[in-house]
């Protein structure tokens, strides 16, 4: 059962399920065929707006020990949140090689990270968030944390 948690400006509907694959905090997530949670897997594809969030936001750790584990490995529990439209989502993950400007629409990059939407309108229905800061990760080999506004 979900619960409402105020996590900054806006509201999040939070849930928890088992991971079907490795999920990192800030990943855009989707349900796998077996009902478990996995990183969103279709680049530019439609989906719901839900992001993996840390258990520590509620005073817990992923593995229920004193050490915080930033990744949810397959089979572990994943806490994820559906932010209301217009809610800030700190820590979303911008794909490696992406460069965005404040306000750019973002879609799934197909691996749980986000990328800029195509400028021709073909991905408009798949927009899950908007960049809330300018970030140049064009030379980056890894995804970076990025604050977004949910769509």
């Amino acid at each position: 059962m979900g619960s409402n948690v105020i996590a900054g400006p806006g509201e999040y509907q939070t849930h928890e399920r088992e991971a079907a694959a490795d999920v990192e905090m800030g990943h855009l997530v989707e349900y796998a065929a077996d009902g478990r949670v996995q990183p969103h897997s279709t680049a530019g594809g439609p989906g719901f707006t839900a992001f993996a969030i840390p258990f520590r936001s509620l005073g817990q750790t992923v593995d229920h020990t004193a050490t915080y584990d930033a990744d949810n490995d397959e089979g572990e529990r994943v806490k994820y949140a559906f932010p209301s439209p217009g809610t800030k989502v700190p820590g979303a993950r911008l794909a490696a090689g992406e460069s965005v400007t404040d306000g750019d629409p973002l879609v799934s990059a197909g691996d749980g990270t986000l990328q800029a939407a195509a400028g021709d309108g073909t991905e408009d229905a798949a927009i899950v968030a908007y960049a809330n800061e300018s970030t140049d990760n064009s030379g980056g080999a890894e995804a970076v944390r990025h604050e977004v506004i949910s769509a």
Side-chain angles (χ1 to χ4, degrees):
M1 175 177 241
S3 61
N4 291 324
V5 176
I6 304 301
E11 185 176 288
Y12 293 78
Q13 182 74 27
T14 61
H15 299 272
E16 182 182 331
R17 288 189 185 206
E18 185 177 322
D22 291 351
V23 176
E24 295 182 25
M25 296 303 106
H27 266 163
L28 180 67
V29 296
E30 66 184 1
Y31 297 133
D34 61 7
R36 297 186 297 166
V37 175
Q38 66 185 19
H40 190 275
S41 61
T42 306
F48 49 76
T49 302
F51 293 92
I53 61 172
F55 269 84
R56 70 178 171 188
S57 65
L58 298 179
Q60 297 176 299
T61 61
V62 172
D63 56 7
H64 301 288
T65 66
T67 304
Y68 176 66
D69 180 357
D71 298 327
N72 292 290
D73 300 321
E74 181 177 355
E76 290 185 344
R77 302 295 291 176
V78 175
K79 184 170 278 297
Y80 57 101
F82 292 92
S84 297
T87 300
K88 286 184 182 181
V89 181
R93 301 180 62 77
L94 185 66
E98 281 295 307
S99 180
V100 297
T101 302
D102 189 12
D104 282 353
L106 304 172
V107 297
S108 173
D111 60 359
T113 62
L114 301 174
Q115 65 185 13
D120 59 7
T122 58
E123 295 178 332
D124 286 357
I127 294 170
V128 295
Y130 294 89
N132 196 38
E133 57 190 346
S134 295
T135 300
D136 183 1
N137 192 30
S138 57
E142 295 185 15
V144 295
R145 299 248 183 241
H146 183 80
E147 183 175 275
V148 302
I149 302 291
S150 63

